[in-house]
Structures are given as structure tokens and as C-alpha cells.
Amino acid sequence: MEVLLGAWREALRADKAVVQLLRIRTVLDLEFYDHITAVLREIESASRLLRDLYDLFPIYRSRVPIIIYYLDIILPSLERTIKNMMAYIDNDAFPARTQWTLMVERLGDQGGMSLPTRFVMYVDLLVQLVRLLSRSPLYDPTTLELLRMRHLRLRLLQGIPAPPAPAVPHHAPIQPTEADLERRHWAEKIFDDQPHSTTGLRHRRESMCFGPPMVDVKLGIIHGSSVLFKLPFDKNRLSVTLYLQPDVPDMTRLLCRWLDPYMNPLTACYGVHELCVRRKGSSLQFRRWSVNKMHPKLWMALFFKTWEKMVLFHCAFGALKSRCPLTISVTPEDVCLPGEKRLFQGKIIDDGFEHILTVLQDQKCGGIRLHAAVRSGELRRCPVWTAFITHQSQSPQWLDRRSRHRVWLRDIYPYVFCQKYKKKHQMKRHGEFELYFVTEDAADAFQDMFQESSDAGGGEIVVVG
């Protein structure tokens, strides 16, 4: 559909405006910095959301007609605004200061709102369209209607006539309850919240997909599929979407979209069972089986800004691959992140299951986390949950030994990778998280490791039971 390609074109147009604004911000005095940054931030967000829509189109193809009307509202207005901006900021006849001031003066008169406010309005509408397309529980039909009216007024002031009425009317979904949100697939919740601590990774490069690209019919996207999560890399120049197929439980596929040298979007898609992962520095590298060469071949390298996000992505992939019915074998690197030192390991009873609890420290950035995995059976070593240890662990109130086998931890936020596991069963009245160790020796060793050493990485590796 032409309007879908239009979303991609406007993302490219926004990127060009960003380049010019960055140039102007570098040249001008600090007095302009905050104002230019406010505009930049919203244009970059608009570009990212337009690419989000484009990435979701193949998976939610049947729902695309619902949002066509709203795209017909926003895209011509956005195009007009950015073209008007470029007439000033990409005009070599003016110095940078004049480019900026003229643009702000002329475009600020349209719609009675500042330029940053106008782009906030664009971004707000695009956010609702992404949620509407993907059936997000955060979609708000009242907000969408208010934004629709505001955009139509802006179009009128821009001299753009209103588009035709929508061909496919839609009905607003019922507002989800807390129980509905809790019943979502665990992978949909993994990246809901930012980790309470972030540990930066160094030696990052641009994420890449090495293809080959696939035409739409080769992607294998089945009607009724649903997105588990989508992560952008390098300002959404590359994106990765994990989605669940509707026909068989736990059938998960990974869709990658990247750019060719001419900024055209390319896509490829594989089942998680067809991929294996390994860590290299600050990246996760995914390999696929090459039929021609009869050995694994590098398909995609994702570079992460933070250790926490890399850990969550790796654990999610390992858990999804372990449970996929088409998976033949799971390698140790699929479920155990390389580059981490094991500080402690012991058995726990966790929501009625017996798990292996490991304390791991990253050898590059020094981050420490708790990691619970399946102890035995077909899913052995499959991640169940992980929790990042923050500066709160330095407090004497962080760890409370409640009995010979029970330890309570404060300010612990487990990220869960299993649908059957309910972390609320381990949570206590005031938010403490309970660890129930199978042996008293394991509880002793765990307590000693955190309470007797200010440097958790300096002691012997403790394996109990």
C-alpha cells in the first residue's frame, strides 16, 4: 500500500532534518541549545515510531486498514512541516543563526503552537497508532480521537483538505484490567520497565544483519501472529521483532529489518529454533545454518548500550528457544551468557519448583545478578528469572536471614522468563523477595558472600549442593 511506503519515506525525511538540526546546534551558541534539542528529540521520536509502524505491518497485516485513515491524516501534515523546515535549515544562502530563527518564526505561526509542541502532537498520535495496530492494552481511543481533531485543525491551517472518512471503522477495545495485563505472555512484559540500574557497555559498533534479505512470501508470517517485543538499534536503523505464531504454542520467530546502502528497508526472518547465539564483547551474534556451506553462518550482530538489556535479550531468546517445539538442540551459549563469572550456585525451592540459583558477575563491566534456571529435565538450564543487584545491596537491611533455609531480599525486581512461574508467590507483605534454599549450608554461603565481603567478585566460587 502506498500509505505504508509513505510512512517509511517520512521517516527518511525526518532523518534528513535531524542531520541539518545537529549541524546548526553545533554551530550556534549555547542559548539555542535547549530549544534545538527539544525539536530534535521529537523529530527523532517521530522517525522511530514511523519505522515501528512499518516493522509491524507484516505481522498485523489484517489490521493495517484500521490505521490507514489516521496515517492519511498525519503524513501529509508531517511532510508539509518538514519540507517547510528544510526550506530554511538546508538553505546555504543563510547563516546557521538565520536558518534557525527564520524557521522558528515562520513555522511557529501555523496552528498557534511552537514547533516542539507540534512535533509532540505528531509523536503522540504515532504512539497511539502503534498501540492500535499491535493491540496494545495501553491504546486509548479517547486520546486518539482528541489527537485526530487537533491534527485536522492543523491541516486546515496548513491548507491541506481533510482526508476521506475511514473505509474500515474500528471499535475501541475494552480497557484492560490489572488481571488482563498480568495474563500477557511473559515476553511481552520483559521490556515494559527500564531496569533500576544501567551499566554501560564499551566498544560498541553499529548493529548489522548480513542477510540474505527475503521477499514477503518467504518471511513465513502467519495470519494471527502477535508481537512479543520489538527492540530498535541505532535509532531504529535496524530493528528486531520477536513474534509468536498462532497455530502451535511456543512457536516463536525473529524478524529483522535493516537498511541497504540506499536507505531502503530489507527484512529476513527465522524461527528461534533455526538460530544459535553467542556473545562477543558488547554484542550478541546470531548464526543460522547455511544449506549451501553446510555449517553455521553469521546472520546478525546486535550491539547493546547496556549490560542489563543484553542480559534480558539473551535470557529471553534462550527461554523461547528452549520451549520451541521445533528446537532440536540447545547449546550452552544459548542459555548461559558467556563472559560472566560464577560467584555462587545452590538449589532453591521457588514457587513450588526446584531451581538452580546462581550469582553471576560480568567480567567486563562488573555487574552482578541473580539467575534462576531449571534444574533438570528437558528444559535443564533454561532461564526462569534474573534480577540485577544494585547499590541497595550495600545496605545492612537489604538481606534478612529469616530462618535456616529462608533469606529475604529487599529492592529485588525479578524479570521472569516462564509463563508458569509466579513471582508474586515469593513476594512478602512489604515487597521482600524470598529465597528458600534446599540446604542450610547454601543459605549460609549466600548470606556470607554478600555480608562478609564488600567486593563480591574477590572471593572463591561457592557451589553448594
Side-chain angles (χ1 to χ4, degrees), residues 325-348:
L326 296 182
T327 297
I328 296 174
S329 64
V330 178
T331 70
E333 290 184 327
D334 285 336
V335 289
C336 300
L337 186 65
E340 292 183 316
K341 179 182 178 181
R342 187 176 60 177
L343 305 178
F344 166 88
Q345 186 169 292
K347 287 182 285 188
I348 58 173

Side-chain angles (χ1 to χ4, degrees), residues 218-233:
K218 293 290 185 180
L219 294 176
I221 300 174
I222 297 175
H223 174 71
S225 297
S226 58
V227 172
L228 296 176
F229 63 81
K230 175 184 180 297
L231 287 186
F233 293 83

